[in-house]
Amino acid sequence: MAFCGAPAAWGNAAPARAWTSGARPGAPLLTTPSTRPTGRAALSMVATSKNEPNAVVSSKVEALYDSYPFPPDPLIDGDPVGYNWRWHYPSAYAFCTGRAPSPFPSPLRILDAGCGTGCGTEYLVHLNPTASVTGIDLSAGALAVATDRLTRSVGEDGLARTTFEHRSIFDVADLPGAGFDHINCVGVVHHTPDPLRAVRALAAKLNDGGILHLFVYASHGRWEISLMQQAISLLQPERGGDTVDYNEGVRIGRELFAKLPEDNRLVKREASRWSQENKRDATFADMYVHPQEVDYDIPSLFELIDQSGLDFLGFSNPGNFDLARILGNTPELLERAQALPEREQYRLVELLDPDSVTHFEFFLGKGVSVTSWDDDQALLAAKVSLSECTHGWPAMFLFDRDYMPVELGKAEHAFLTVAVDGKGASTVRDAVEASGLSLDVVRELRRKAVIVLAEA
């Protein structure tokens, strides 16, 4: 069983590891290009791709990430620290559908589309021990780091299940083998010259019943970023040519932030929200000197989704779109807001609290049905198990998949004891009869992802 992991901040929940520059003993020697920033980057496109909608734009994106491989997270030896349930296929599938995957895909095939330096790829490999994982990226420099990262972190078995390919997202149809059950594409399509075409390319490679996790930028929460991007571009006119000096763009941006007045709106937003991560030049470059970016609001996001050929299965940070978070102090307006159609509720959140919506992260599915568990008899017949991303059992105080606290009552603890002891074979009826827990509370435990249900 793959455990979803735990941040090192929680005592001994995760093993300590050395931050070293050496590879794992016995790891294969790899010949990889230098990943040190190279200054003026010539266009080198992996494409002469017949599928590439705009090779000039994609070449500039490739050059950026060859100069500044991204994400710039440190390489460490041993299992990756922490977890993200969105990278754990059973948990992601249960979030999308309300139930455990059945039958479980064998073999489970996962694609990390635009894997960059492999920060997500190593978790996809580690958290899904039966999966075959493929990572693709436009940048050879980023892929070199990704290969090094996984060589250190996932061991021989993980490496044997992992393939990296230097190719454009628009060439995903040419990947060998069958389709994929789970595609992860975080921070990628908004940097392509044709995001809709990119999503459709991924959709075509998704198996029936498969899920796609996407992450794209939001316009309202990145308003100040957009202004600074445009300012740097005006001050670096050569960015429109065939070569781009990304180091110079970073220098100009940092000079602006250093010399603009402290009360400047752009300076204040950078200081309060982004400055810690932007201490690293690669992160600063990705944010402020990127040659291609498309930002979305709720209307344009759902226009993209509606044209993708896939079904919207929900935001993977649903708490951010909880209207009670914003309108909880005005019950009358909250009631009005909650009566709106779903998309208008999302729109209201981004209009009333734009700073909280800097991106959209969400799941799409192909031919995926959703189980609501509204029917009492179907719920009672379901098999129940403790979620692999629930932490702290058998204590009375647990953490859910997002590390939000869940305090159990005696009946809830008794219910979970039956679920754990049954190892997935016990039904909800068995656990309810033993604990006296109401079905409404069972549904709440499922909503919080403390438990996972499987259809009878």
Side-chain angles (χ1 to χ4, degrees):
M1 177 185 294
F3 179 55
C4 286
W10 271 274
N12 297 320
R17 293 187 290 166
W19 297 61
T20 72
S21 58
R24 179 194 300 273
L29 294 176
L30 301 171
T31 302
T32 56
S34 170
T35 57
R36 186 174 52 177
T38 56
R40 185 172 296 279
L43 305 187
S44 59
M45 194 54 199
V46 63
T48 43
S49 164
K50 63 183 184 297
N51 300 318
E52 194 68 38
N54 189 325
V56 172
V57 170
S58 294
S59 294
K60 291 182 178 181
V61 174
E62 181 184 9
L64 171 68
Y65 290 127
D66 280 346
S67 295
Y68 291 104
F70 188 86
D73 295 11
L75 306 179
I76 41 183
D77 295 318
D79 295 341
V81 172
Y83 79 100
N84 184 326
W85 63 265
R86 300 157 188 83
W87 293 327
H88 179 238
Y89 171 74
S91 295
Y93 186 90
F95 172 85
C96 292
T97 68
R99 64 185 185 278
S102 180
F104 197 92
S106 181
L108 173 63
R109 283 174 51 83
I110 298 176
L111 172 65
D112 197 8
C115 63
T117 62
C119 295
T121 318
E122 67 174 342
Y123 285 92
L124 291 166
V125 174
H126 176 65
L127 296 178
N128 301 283
T130 66
S132 169
V133 180
T134 299
I136 64 170
D137 202 85
L138 198 62
S139 165
L143 285 173
V145 179
T147 302
D148 192 9
R149 183 184 305 281
L150 268 76
T151 299
R152 298 163 184 261
S153 69
V154 301
E156 292 183 6
D157 172 70
L159 284 174
R161 296 185 289 109
T162 306
T163 302
F164 285 116
E165 293 208 15
H166 184 207
R167 69 169 69 231
S168 165
I169 195 171
F170 296 105
D171 291 331
V172 70
D174 298 331
L175 282 170
F180 295 92
D181 306 295
H182 184 181
I183 298 178
N184 182 65
C185 187
V186 173
V188 178
V189 299
H190 53 233
H191 289 317
T192 71
D194 191 338
L196 176 58
R197 188 167 164 182
V199 175
R200 284 176 170 170
L202 296 175
K205 202 65 176 176
L206 191 65
N207 286 336
D208 287 339
I211 55 176
L212 165 62
H213 188 233
L214 286 173
F215 173 115
V216 297
Y217 289 150
S219 56
H220 295 302
R222 292 174 61 89
W223 185 79
E224 294 89 352
I225 293 173
S226 177
L227 294 183
M228 181 56 78
Q229 289 170 339
Q230 295 174 63
I232 294 171
S233 185
L234 286 172
L235 293 168
Q236 193 185 8
E238 68 271 19
R239 286 179 65 189
D242 287 341
T243 59
V244 183
D245 189 345
Y246 290 113
N247 285 357
E248 176 65 5
V250 169
R251 186 196 68 78
I252 291 171
R254 292 205 182 281
E255 181 77 1
L256 286 170
F257 279 121
K259 298 302 171 63
L260 287 170
E262 290 184 3
D263 61 352
N264 177 278
R265 178 171 175 170
L266 277 62
V267 172
K268 289 166 64 177
R269 178 64 167 164
E270 166 69 12
S272 65
R273 178 64 175 85
W274 307 111
S275 60
Q276 285 301 310
E277 58 192 273
N278 281 340
K279 287 180 178 179
R280 293 176 290 190
D281 282 350
T283 308
F284 190 95
D286 180 72
M287 182 171 292
Y288 288 114
V289 302
H290 206 290
Q292 173 67 15
E293 181 176 311
V294 179
D295 297 338
Y296 292 88
D297 59 10
I298 287 294
S300 59
L301 176 71
F302 278 97
E303 182 179 354
L304 174 76
I305 292 170
D306 290 343
Q307 295 180 60
S308 71
L310 301 175
D311 298 318
F312 178 69
L313 299 175
F315 289 112
S316 55
N317 56 343
N320 206 49
F321 292 91
D322 182 1
L323 283 164
R325 178 179 66 82
I326 302 170
L327 297 176
N329 291 330
T330 171
E332 186 260 335
L333 291 182
L334 177 60
E335 183 178 358
R336 286 192 189 190
Q338 291 174 333
L340 292 170
E342 184 177 63
R343 295 184 184 185
E344 292 183 15
Q345 293 185 41
Y346 298 149
R347 176 68 169 158
L348 197 57
V349 169
E350 74 170 356
L351 293 175
L352 294 177
D353 191 18
D355 284 354
S356 74
V357 186
T358 60
H359 68 272
F360 299 108
E361 54 179 89
F362 54 97
F363 282 100
L364 304 179
K366 177 186 283 188
V368 174
S369 63
V370 177
T371 303
S372 66
W373 302 109
D374 291 335
D375 181 86
D376 287 355
Q377 294 308 310
L379 177 58
L380 286 167
K383 301 293 180 64
V384 59
S385 58
L386 186 70
S387 168
E388 294 178 69
C389 289
T390 295
H391 306 283
W393 179 260
M396 299 292 290
F397 192 88
L398 306 179
F399 291 99
D400 69 11
R401 65 187 172 205
D402 293 316
Y403 266 89
M404 298 302 294
V406 178
E407 187 173 3
L408 301 176
K410 290 183 178 179
E412 292 166 310
H413 195 275
F415 179 93
L416 292 179
T417 299
V418 173
V420 171
D421 290 347
K423 298 180 180 178
S426 297
T427 65
V428 171
R429 187 186 303 276
D430 296 332
V432 164
E433 289 177 350
S435 64
L437 197 66
S438 74
L439 291 184
D440 285 343
V441 177
V442 174
R443 291 184 176 100
E444 183 64 11
L445 289 174
R446 189 207 65 80
R447 187 191 67 81
K448 292 179 178 179
V450 174
I451 60 173
V452 176
L453 301 176
E455 291 179 326

